[in-house]
Structures are given as structure tokens and as C-alpha cells.
Amino acid sequence: MLDQLLKNPKKYFWSLNKDGDLVLGNADLGLKAKLTFTLTKKWVNLAPLVESSPGTYIGQSKTYLKDTKEYEQVEELYKLIKSQMKEAKITERWKISRNTLTLLQNYYQEKTND
């Protein structure tokens, strides 16, 4: 999933929370679909809040240490998204929210089935 996000981050809905964490997704469409990326100097944590149906949550939190591919990918995402936010115009909020919901539900549904 990180590879897909790095290829086309503008296709998805991004924000920064009050703690400075990168957040993919929102709850605007009824079902919750958010993935919070917390980046520190030593590790990165990916914490999903994804509903497959109302009240049914899928996905597990994952932590990756600094010397991993996933850490480097999230570090790159932070750079891309922060620069994108400076120039961002949200003209198709519904479409990018829907793209994000679909991506997160599909990814975590597959992980649940593994």
C-alpha cells in the first residue's frame, strides 16, 4: 500500500492532526476510513481506524523501526504530503475521500483474510 500511496498521493485525502501526525482518510462518507502515520526519529507507527461495515473494524496497528523500507517510505510520504498541502486545492473532496475509503477497506480486508 505504501508503494501505491507514494506513486500518486494526490489521489487520496490527507491531513495533519494536532500532534503533527499524517492522516490518510476521514469519516466524511459515513464509514470510518483513516490511517494515522506517527513518525519519530526511531520508529513509525501505522494505526488504522477502518470500518468494513458500521461498527465492524478491520486492521491492526503496525510499528516499523528506522532501518526498514516502510520507515523510509513513510518518511518520503511526509515530505510529499507536506509540500502537496502547501499547494493543495481540494476541488474533488468527495472523489478523493471515496478513493481513500476504497483503498483502506480493500487493503485491510485482504489483511484480515490472510
Side-chain angles (χ1 to χ4, degrees):
M1 178 178 62
L2 292 173
D3 290 330
Q4 186 176 354
L5 293 172
L6 282 165
K7 287 179 187 172
N8 195 0
K10 291 183 179 186
K11 185 176 177 182
Y12 304 102
F13 187 83
W14 297 94
S15 62
L16 291 173
N17 68 15
K18 64 181 179 180
D19 296 326
D21 299 329
L22 189 59
V23 179
L24 169 65
N26 57 44
D28 288 356
L29 298 175
L31 292 178
K32 293 176 181 72
K34 293 185 350 180
L35 178 60
T36 303
F37 299 84
T38 303
L39 180 67
T40 72
K41 292 180 181 179
K42 296 183 180 182
W43 51 265
V44 63
N45 181 267
L46 282 61
L49 179 63
V50 180
E51 286 181 308
S52 60
S53 62
T56 304
Y57 293 90
I58 53 178
Q60 299 273 335
S61 180
K62 290 272 193 177
T63 300
Y64 301 97
L65 297 177
K66 184 171 184 155
D67 294 330
T68 62
K69 177 183 174 184
E70 291 84 358
Y71 182 94
E72 292 174 8
Q73 289 175 312
V74 172
E75 197 172 41
E76 185 63 27
L77 265 176
Y78 262 81
K79 292 174 189 172
L80 286 170
I81 300 308
K82 284 186 177 183
S83 67
Q84 176 181 313
M85 287 180 162
K86 290 178 184 174
E87 63 187 53
K89 295 178 187 172
I90 300 180
T91 56
E92 296 182 350
R93 183 180 173 97
W94 184 87
K95 183 177 179 182
I96 61 174
S97 293
R98 174 59 70 191
N99 289 345
T100 305
L101 174 68
T102 302
L103 171 80
L104 290 173
Q105 283 180 329
N106 289 345
Y107 178 78
Y108 285 105
Q109 192 64 48
E110 287 175 12
K111 290 290 185 189
T112 302
N113 294 334
D114 287 345

